Amino acid sequence: MYFFLLNLSVIDLGSISTTVPKAMANSLHDTRAISYAGCVAQVFLFPFLMSTEYFILTVMAYDRYIAICKPLHYGSLLGSRACAQMAAAAWGGGILYGLLHTANTFSLPLCGGNSVDQFFCEIPQILKISCSCSSLRSFWVLVISVCLASMCFVFILFSYMQIFRAVLRMPSEQGRHKAFSTCLPHLFVVSLFISTGFFTYLKPPSISSPSLNLVVTALYSVMPPTLNPFIYSMRNKELKWAIRKVISWMLLNSDKFPLFFQK
């Protein structure tokens, strides 16, 4: 589990670094410009890292399934070599997925100018300014994306159905609590990742607007990688103690924080 958490941490750091620094620099310099090479890099890196994170989360669901449903076979099924192979497959799949989107996006002729209504080079915004004659090729890329996402989602769902069945059969309440506490951080991260992504790309067109699209994109591109370390660290007793200490100090000094503590 810690090996996969290491991979997830690297991915989250890369996801934040792909979009946020450039957006902050543009905000400080009061500009919205980005070079062509920078745009290509963002178009490749963002789907590459997001898809790799999804694949890693799928592998982590399998890890939890083996740990809880088949604990006696954990060492043989998920040894160091098997973990390295699954992580390498996730990273390799992410690279291929990123290359697929990058090649498809920048092979389309642009007919609507070179301005996108987003704080980074997001693929749907670039496709909006491309010529419609290549929509069939984009459709097949979308089909591949939906198929991959659905397969991973079904695998995660099946794994947790088996996990919950096994946990509910445990005679010991302490054992059930330990099993649930092991799975809940991963379940929270998966739910956050999937819900923000689904809302971004499947929201009704009737509620779509440039300002809402900007907020929603910031939520799914920035919020999951920012919150993931905190979610997985909540089982750490030292972190819990530090958070309680900070909250207690803020409550004792509430007069210094009128924005948060209004009388």
Side-chain angles (χ1 to χ4, degrees):
M1 175 58 91
Y2 290 108
F3 171 74
F4 294 126
L5 284 177
L6 173 63
N7 283 265
L8 196 65
S9 301
V10 173
I11 294 169
D12 289 336
L13 181 61
S15 300
I16 291 288
S17 303
T18 299
T19 58
V20 174
K22 180 59 180 176
M24 293 176 64
N26 282 356
S27 178
L28 290 173
H29 294 91
D30 193 22
T31 180
R32 297 182 61 186
I34 185 171
S35 66
Y36 185 82
C39 189
V40 172
Q42 286 188 343
V43 168
F44 168 72
L45 288 173
F46 191 74
F48 155 54
L49 293 168
M50 288 291 101
S51 59
T52 304
E53 178 166 355
Y54 197 27
F55 297 151
I56 290 291
L57 290 174
T58 304
V59 172
M60 291 174 72
Y62 176 71
D63 173 80
R64 294 299 84 202
Y65 163 73
I66 297 298
I68 293 175
C69 299
K70 300 180 179 181
L72 298 180
H73 300 280
Y74 187 85
S76 58
L77 293 176
L78 282 172
S80 57
R81 183 177 179 180
C83 290
Q85 288 175 344
M86 287 188 289
W91 284 92
I95 291 175
L96 293 176
Y97 186 77
L99 288 173
L100 173 67
H101 274 288
T102 307
N104 175 71
T105 301
F106 289 98
S107 64
L108 301 176
L110 303 180
C111 305
N114 59 354
S115 177
V116 294
D117 294 326
Q118 202 50 265
F119 68 94
F120 72 99
C121 287
E122 190 187 26
I123 293 176
Q125 297 297 328
I126 297 178
L127 294 179
K128 285 182 180 179
I129 60 175
S130 65
C131 298
S132 58
C133 59
S134 302
S135 58
L136 183 61
R137 185 168 47 185
S138 300
F139 171 77
W140 284 112
V141 173
L142 179 63
V143 168
I144 294 173
S145 302
V146 171
C147 289
L148 285 174
S150 300
M151 289 170 58
C152 291
F153 179 75
V154 170
F155 187 88
I156 293 173
L157 189 63
F158 175 79
S159 297
Y160 271 101
M161 287 175 60
Q162 298 301 316
I163 288 172
F164 288 146
R165 286 180 58 188
V167 170
L168 293 175
R169 291 175 181 172
M170 291 180 179
S172 169
E173 183 178 351
Q174 184 179 3
R176 290 195 297 268
H177 176 74
K178 184 177 180 181
F180 275 127
S181 65
T182 303
C183 295
L184 282 179
H186 177 259
L187 195 57
F188 283 145
V189 170
V190 171
S191 302
L192 181 66
F193 183 86
I194 293 177
S195 60
T196 53
F198 274 25
F199 181 74
T200 300
Y201 293 110
L202 299 179
K203 65 180 183 297
S206 57
I207 65 171
S208 181
S209 67
S211 57
L212 179 62
N213 291 340
L214 187 65
V215 172
V216 170
T217 303
L219 285 178
Y220 94 88
S221 63
V222 176
M223 189 169 69
T226 303
L227 295 180
N228 286 354
F230 292 100
I231 294 173
Y232 276 109
S233 300
M234 288 310 296
R235 294 182 63 202
N236 187 291
K237 295 181 179 179
E238 288 79 7
L239 181 64
K240 289 182 179 179
W241 179 82
I243 292 175
R244 291 195 188 102
K245 187 175 180 180
V246 170
I247 294 175
S248 300
W249 181 83
M250 292 181 67
L251 291 173
L252 291 173
N253 298 272
S254 58
D255 55 320
K256 299 179 181 179
F257 302 93
L259 184 63
F260 299 99
F261 302 99
Q262 294 180 355
K263 295 182 180 180

